[in-house]
Amino acid sequence: MKKKLIIIAIWIMFVLILNYFDLLSLDINTVIKFASANKDYAYLLILGLWIVRLILFIPSTPLMILGGVCFNPAEAVFLSTVGMFLSETCVYIFSKSFAGNKVKNYLVNRQPDLTSLIEAYNYKLLALGVINPIAPADVICFLSASVGIKYSTYILTVIIASSPLRILYSFIGISLSESKIALALVIVSLVLVFTISIRIWNTLRSKKKNGVSTIT
């Protein structure tokens, strides 16, 4: 009960902050105008959201899309890359902490199948978890760090695996304003990435159930 109250309190605070800056009920054009008029501040706001998103229970996908809407593609990719680096580094550090060990025990009991998959495939499953829309990416990142993966391997896997999504989402903003065809191509590309990743995810689960631990 206490945890639910804390989560509700955090979301209320977040809504109050958005309301204070007149960002609560916005259309896309208003968001773009706000980012253009307050560019340096908008950079810090986006990066700040990347850092605190874990506390606010915000997935990474909305932030990548927000970056694509507010900034040009190069800026959006850069901000998403830095944001991903910062947030998943926080996950890694927390996973290595005493509190992280308690969370790990809780997750192992709640998701034993996922834990066994990570132990079997490690960084391969980490890469898939980052790009797969049905996979709990942050949970996979946390458990991957907890099983002893090196930080350099961990962060490089996260950054490289998330590159297709970061690049595709960065073109959403310009696609919305310039071309419906471009937007359609972006959406089709995302669907293909998601479809392929889901098929691989299901294949890994099937192989693990059958006692196979290698990817062909």
Side-chain angles (χ1 to χ4, degrees):
M1 184 63 181
K2 289 183 179 179
K3 292 181 180 179
K4 291 182 179 179
L5 290 175
I6 292 173
I7 293 172
I8 292 172
I10 290 172
W11 272 105
I12 290 174
M13 181 180 67
F14 185 57
V15 169
L16 289 174
I17 292 172
L18 290 179
N19 184 62
Y20 177 80
F21 289 105
D22 295 325
L23 297 174
L24 194 55
S25 57
L26 301 178
D27 57 25
I28 292 175
N29 291 329
T30 306
V31 172
I32 294 173
K33 287 179 181 178
F34 176 84
S36 298
N38 306 273
K39 205 156 195 178
D40 292 339
Y41 181 79
Y43 287 159
L44 295 176
L45 179 61
I46 291 292
L47 291 178
L49 285 174
W50 272 101
I51 294 173
V52 302
R53 74 175 184 83
L54 300 169
I55 301 174
L56 298 174
F57 301 97
I58 301 174
S60 59
T61 298
L63 295 183
M64 286 189 279
I65 294 174
L66 182 61
V69 170
C70 293
F71 307 102
N72 66 54
E75 291 174 318
V77 170
F78 174 76
L79 288 171
S80 294
T81 301
V82 174
M84 184 73 71
F85 174 85
L86 292 173
S87 65
E88 298 308 342
T89 294
C90 290
V91 170
Y92 188 91
I93 294 172
F94 179 70
S95 177
K96 297 298 184 180
S97 69
F98 176 73
N101 289 331
K102 291 184 176 181
V103 175
K104 177 188 175 183
N105 292 333
Y106 171 78
L107 292 175
V108 168
N109 292 329
R110 288 292 300 272
Q111 302 193 48
D113 292 340
L114 179 59
T115 303
S116 64
L117 278 172
I118 290 172
E119 290 174 346
Y121 298 107
N122 207 331
Y123 74 91
K124 296 174 183 178
L125 193 78
L126 173 60
L128 186 61
V130 170
I131 200 172
N132 191 321
I134 67 170
D138 291 322
V139 173
I140 291 176
C141 286
F142 177 91
L143 290 174
S144 293
S146 70
V147 298
I149 187 173
K150 291 182 179 179
Y151 174 73
S152 56
T153 302
Y154 166 87
I155 200 65
L156 283 174
T157 301
V158 169
I159 296 300
I160 293 172
S162 64
S163 294
L165 294 185
R166 285 185 283 110
I167 292 171
L168 288 172
Y169 285 134
S170 70
F171 283 96
I172 283 183
I174 193 171
S175 299
L176 285 172
S177 60
E178 293 188 2
S179 172
K180 298 296 183 182
I181 296 177
L183 178 60
L185 290 174
V186 170
I187 293 174
V188 169
S189 298
L190 286 171
V191 170
L192 287 174
V193 170
F194 291 161
T195 301
I196 293 172
S197 66
I198 290 171
R199 289 188 63 182
I200 296 174
W201 174 268
N202 291 333
T203 298
L204 290 182
R205 292 182 63 184
S206 176
K207 286 183 176 181
K208 188 65 179 68
K209 287 181 179 180
N210 295 328
V212 181
S213 61
T214 57
I215 300 177
T216 57

